[in-house]
Amino acid sequence: MQNNNRKVFDTIISRTKIYLGIIFILLVIICVENIKFIIPSIIVYGILVGYTFFADRKRKSEISETLQDLTLSVDSAAKTSLINSPFPLVILDTDGSIIWRSSKFISEFANIDINTYIDDINIEIKEQIQDRIKNQNTNKDILKQIQIDSKIYKIMGRYVNFKKKDRKNKKDYMIILYFIDDTENIKLQKEYKDSKSCVGIIMIDNYDEIMQRLDASEKPQVTAQIDKNMYDWANKTNGVLIKSDRDRYVYLFEQRYLEEVKEDKFSILDKIKEIDNKEKVQLTLSIAVSNEGTTDKEKYKSAQAAMDVVLGRGGDQAVIRENEIYKFFGGRAQEVEKRTKVKARVVAHALENLIKESKKVMIMGHTNPDMDSIGSCMGIYRLAKTLDTNAYIINNEDTSTLKSFKDTLEKDPEYEDVIINKEVALENFDEDTLLVIVDTHKINYVDSPEILEQAKKIVIIDHHRRSADFIENVTLMFQEVYASSAAELVTELLQYAEAKIDLKTIEAESLYAGIMMDTKNFTFKTGVRTFEAAAYLRRCGVDIIRVKKWFQSDLASFNLIADIVRNAEIVNDTIAISIYENVDKNANLICAKAADELLTISDITASFVIGNTGEKVCISGRSIGDINVQVILEKLRRRRTYYFSRSTS
């Protein structure tokens, strides 16, 4: 009886229990006072308990019915919202098959073969589905963008798990995809991006030289022609061109025209060359454009840095710096030899001071060194020794081209400990060591990149056009693209040094050999200053016959190069392309010689020879015409990793 009462009371809410308890106590008191009321009290109390239990059950039933009605209403509303979704909606099975499409989906894509797009989407998301099911990561939304006809949709999706009737104990998944029209948003984003500014700097390379040659009456006419062509070109992009100096312009235009500028390939470069003057000297431009930075000031600084690259490559070209990538245009004009030697004197004086301030000097060239590289090292070595500073030449490779020279060098005991490898150099390198790099300015082309990382003071002497991967934070740079070779530049520095340089015969001959190699026996890229440098070295006791012997090759090598030349294919009547089939660690040197030899064939203005070192593919490019092989090789370089031989244009 007590257990039954307890169950009854447990079903009643707590407040009712209190009331019944109070009534029970009052009835007990009445019964104690008068025994006659015992039976009526029991009857009354039983009726109250029964009614209370009945009322409580009824109230709970009403609440349950109300909640059930509410649930059904919400479920119905959800189904109605799903069916009448304002967005096109589709439900897919895990295998990519369509389970259901909303009415909006059907009407939106009524005139479009949507199945093709769905199939493409399925292919892309199937792997995601399997991966997420495997990793039990089905709570993550799917986000994707796709263009359907002329509209762009943002696809948002969600995985849903459910149990199929025939697979009660296993969960399956389906995905609900919403197609949200994002066309206007994309247009706004594009408009915002297109409206951003690009900043360019334009310089006339040889303005001073041209104006000095012109008559006073002709100067205003040439200047007016230059300005007219420049403003006409800028107007094509609705840009603003501001002449900040007599030979310098600032160019502002919206980014929406950047692709047009690329497609135009900076036609202004050729337009300026067509300006006629009595001296018949072509005007050339250097152009640098950048869109990097959040403000116009930052973009201008970026354009200035890009302009340094253009000028380092010899001018007469344009560069666009975008997303930290340089894209070059033009660069077909021959470098013009500068008549003034002021810079050589200034650099020579500055280099002397740097050497004097350093405890030791380490000199290195590029990988796979040639005579220009090693000869330039020998010249800087003699300058350092003249200034009573210990100097060492870093050389890690024994190439076949330097074998004869090194055999001669070994006969002189002074150089026994001068040429060292990178391991010895690293052990002796410290903060007071000056690093001089010759015949290259590229980070990945120096003989020992590890030494470069440690160097605090760096000097670069080079004659190549500047590439995008140039060495930064250089203390002193002497980079003149007009020069025939690095050896020519070093010879000029030796001539104009304040200290009296007494070159040893082997040092003078190595410098002479460097000039001779890069000029192809004084037939290519040879200016007045080249012959002046050669004459200075000749006075230092150069034995031309001995130098000539350094370049002699054995019969096997000659036949190998002849085979490469024999197998060359001619493209467009002027470009020779050949392949060195053998896997050879010296393939880059053989390819370079073969490329040079191909240029001796009539009507050939450019040559490319491809080889295999066993580790990498090497491509050697040479040119004597309007083709800039450096630009071609740089484009290839961005796609693959190669060894690149230097181009002659």
Side-chain angles (χ1 to χ4, degrees), residues 64-79:
S64 178
E65 289 177 1
T66 303
L67 289 173
Q68 187 175 3
D69 291 341
L70 181 61
T71 302
L72 290 172
S73 298
V74 171
D75 188 50
S76 177
K79 290 179 180 178

Side-chain angles (χ1 to χ4, degrees), residues 555-568:
L555 183 61
S557 298
F558 181 84
N559 288 334
L560 189 60
I561 294 169
D563 288 338
I564 296 172
V565 174
R566 184 184 301 110
N567 296 325

Side-chain angles (χ1 to χ4, degrees), residues 347-356 361 363 376-391 414 434 436 459 461 476 489-504 507 511:
V347 172
H349 180 67
L351 180 58
E352 282 184 282
N353 289 335
L354 285 172
I355 293 173
K356 290 176 183 177
V361 177
I363 314 149
S376 301
C377 289
M378 295 290 289
I380 297 298
Y381 166 79
R382 179 48 54 195
L383 175 61
K385 294 298 290 182
T386 303
L387 298 173
D388 295 324
T389 304
N390 289 330
E414 179 183 349
L434 176 66
V436 181
V459 175
I461 302 170
L476 179 65
L489 295 176
V490 171
T491 302
E492 285 191 350
L493 295 179
L494 297 176
Q495 285 180 274
Y496 299 119
E498 291 185 357
K500 185 178 179 181
I501 309 297
D502 186 12
L503 277 175
K504 297 185 69 172
E507 294 164 348
L511 285 166

Side-chain angles (χ1 to χ4, degrees), residues 193-201 239-240 250-259 261 288-292 296 299-300 303 320-322:
K193 182 180 178 181
D194 288 344
S195 63
K196 287 185 175 181
S197 61
C198 292
V199 178
I201 299 173
V240 176
V250 177
Y251 176 38
L252 293 170
F253 63 98
E254 290 185 335
Q255 193 161 316
R256 72 179 79 247
Y257 298 105
L258 188 59
E259 287 302 319
V261 171
V289 175
S290 175
N291 66 353
E292 291 184 347
D296 288 343
K299 293 174 184 178
Y300 182 78
I320 295 177
R321 181 173 168 86
E322 188 176 15

Side-chain angles (χ1 to χ4, degrees), residues 28 127 177 289 311 337 350 352 376 388 395 427 478 539 611:
V28 170
E127 292 183 3
L177 298 178
V289 175
L311 295 176
E337 183 180 46
E352 282 184 282
S376 301
D388 295 324
N395 180 248
E427 290 177 4
F478 189 33
R539 288 194 296 270

Side-chain angles (χ1 to χ4, degrees), residues 310-373:
V310 173
L311 295 176
R313 291 165 62 91
D316 181 42
Q317 56 195 285
V319 63
I320 295 177
R321 181 173 168 86
E322 188 176 15
N323 300 323
E324 298 184 355
I325 296 176
Y326 292 93
K327 186 174 179 62
F328 296 99
F329 302 83
R332 295 180 298 174
Q334 200 71 19
E335 295 86 356
V336 179
E337 183 180 46
K338 297 180 180 178
R339 297 184 175 187
T340 176
K341 298 181 181 180
V342 174
K343 187 173 182 179
R345 292 189 179 94
V346 172
V347 172
H349 180 67
L351 180 58
E352 282 184 282
N353 289 335
L354 285 172
I355 293 173
K356 290 176 183 177
E357 294 168 0
S358 305
K359 290 183 179 179
K360 66 175 78 74
V361 177
M362 290 195 180
I363 314 149
M364 70 175 174
H366 51 74
T367 56
N368 302 300
D370 52 22
M371 279 308 306
D372 188 27
S373 176

Side-chain angles (χ1 to χ4, degrees), residues 227-244:
D227 289 344
K228 183 180 184 303
N229 287 333
M230 296 285 288
Y231 287 116
D232 287 345
W233 179 73
N235 287 336
K236 293 179 182 178
T237 58
N238 290 323
V240 176
L241 190 69
I242 303 168
K243 191 170 185 178
S244 60

